């Protein structure tokens, strides 16, 4: 009905919808996954909102958030759990990306539920996070893996966009696109306790802008908004403003 809604996935195998204004559940939980739901993401397909979820059972599932009913059959192909899902576009069409324990990134056509080409390979261990962004009007897909690298892909050609981005010395748990100062930026958070900021203006030669060391805390999720990089850590949420002095931080309760 046009109202905002929040989705969450849990270790009970359910996806739950919430009204962020009232903090109350919206309807009954969405059931279907067999085991932990590790990722959820909203997208738009043919002008209608669609919710995707990825789980430990190795499936990606699509849902109609208005009716809270499944959309089609589960999407299968990953050999192991699905850590991350994200909606984007490729060739002007909606596309869904998923990253899994099997080290692959897979693209799906959410209108048919079929794979969109072969899996994207390059990570040699689990893919923890995937995210879409736009650089110079062109969609770009980023992935972060247990191998400590961030990789950029052209979702239309399904080819790598340049060399892997290195700097993290442990698993990359989260990647996110956004803007800072009117320019596109890519953030990555790793198990090494660092958050790194990249300039993807030229996806084939991304420039490392800065990084923050938050250890011993672990950045488990990153996002960018209002010129700030928000990092979710076990001990709370940190807001960082990209600046000449990266030590300037604001801690906010989780």
């Amino acid at each position: 009905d046009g109202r905002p809604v929040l989705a969450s996935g849990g270790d009970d195998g359910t996806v739950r919808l919430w009204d962020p204004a009232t903090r109350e559940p919206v309807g009954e939980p969405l059931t279907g996954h067999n085991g932990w739901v590790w990722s959820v993401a909203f997208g738009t397909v043919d002008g209608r909102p669609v919710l995707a979820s990825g789980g430990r059972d190795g499936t990606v599932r699509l849902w109609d958030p208005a009716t809270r009913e499944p959309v089609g059959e589960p999407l299968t192909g990953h050999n192991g759990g699905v850590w991350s899902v994200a909606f984007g576009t490729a060739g002007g069409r909606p596309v869904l990306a998923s990253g899994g324990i099997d080290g692959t990134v897979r693209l799906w056509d959410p209108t048919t539920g079929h794979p969109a080409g072969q899996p994207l390979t390059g990570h040699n261990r689990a893919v923890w996070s995937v995210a879409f962004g736009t650089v110079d009007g062109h969609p770009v897909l980023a992935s972060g893996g247990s191998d400590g690298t961030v990789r950029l892909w052209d979702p239309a050609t399904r080819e790598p966009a340049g060399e892997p981005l290195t700097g993290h010395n442990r698993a990359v748990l989260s990647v996110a696109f956004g803007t800072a100062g009117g320019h596109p930026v890519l953030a990555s958070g790793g198990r090494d306790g660092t958050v790194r900021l990249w300039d993807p203006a030229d996806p084939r030669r991304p420039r490392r802008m800065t990084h923050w060391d938050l250890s011993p805390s672990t950045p488990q999720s990153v996002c960018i908004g209002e010129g700030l990089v928000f990092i979710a850590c076990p001990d709370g949420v940190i807001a960082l403003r990209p600046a000449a002095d990266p030590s300037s931080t604001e801690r906010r309760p989780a």
Side-chain angles (χ1 to χ4, degrees):
D1 59 8
R3 292 182 299 175
V5 65
L6 172 69
S8 62
D11 62 0
D12 60 358
T14 69
V15 176
R16 295 174 184 261
L17 299 180
W18 308 86
D19 184 329
T22 65
R23 299 172 179 259
E24 295 294 328
V26 177
E28 295 297 315
L30 313 183
T31 59
H33 282 286
N34 180 22
W36 202 311
V37 178
W38 282 332
S39 182
V40 292
F42 281 102
T44 302
V45 178
D46 294 332
R48 299 176 62 87
V50 177
L51 172 64
S53 57
R56 186 176 181 178
D57 58 6
T59 69
V60 176
R61 294 171 184 261
L62 299 178
W63 312 86
D64 182 330
T67 65
R68 297 183 295 282
E69 293 293 330
V71 177
E73 296 296 317
L75 312 185
T76 59
H78 282 286
N79 182 21
V82 178
W83 276 117
S84 183
V85 292
F87 281 96
T89 61
R93 298 282 298 168
V95 67
L96 172 66
S98 58
I101 284 179
D102 59 4
T104 69
V105 176
R106 293 173 185 259
L107 298 180
W108 311 86
D109 182 339
T111 63
T112 65
H114 295 155
Q118 295 299 311
L120 312 184
T121 58
H123 289 285
N124 58 32
R125 297 172 65 188
V127 176
W128 282 85
S129 182
V130 291
F132 282 95
T134 302
V135 178
D136 289 336
H138 299 287
V140 178
L141 172 64
S143 58
S146 286
D147 57 6
T149 69
V150 176
R151 293 174 183 260
L152 298 179
W153 312 85
D154 181 331
T157 65
R158 298 182 295 280
E159 294 292 332
E163 296 298 315
L165 311 185
T166 59
H168 291 283
N169 58 35
R170 296 187 66 186
V172 177
L173 303 180
S174 183
V175 291
F177 283 96
T179 59
H183 301 285
V185 292
L186 171 65
S188 58
R191 199 181 289 279
D192 59 1
T194 69
V195 173
R196 296 178 182 271
L197 207 60
W198 314 83
D199 178 358
D202 181 354
R204 297 194 173 276
R205 294 181 178 83
R207 179 174 60 88
R208 188 186 305 171
M209 297 172 62
T210 189
H211 80 278
W212 299 276
D213 189 344
L214 308 178
S215 57
S217 193
T218 301
Q220 296 180 325
S221 182
V222 296
C223 68
I224 303 172
E226 302 299 326
L228 296 172
V229 181
F230 295 92
I231 304 104
C233 298
D235 55 352
V237 175
I238 303 171
L240 302 173
R241 184 180 300 279
D245 178 12
S247 64
S248 175
T249 67
E250 175 187 353
R251 289 184 177 265
R252 302 179 182 181

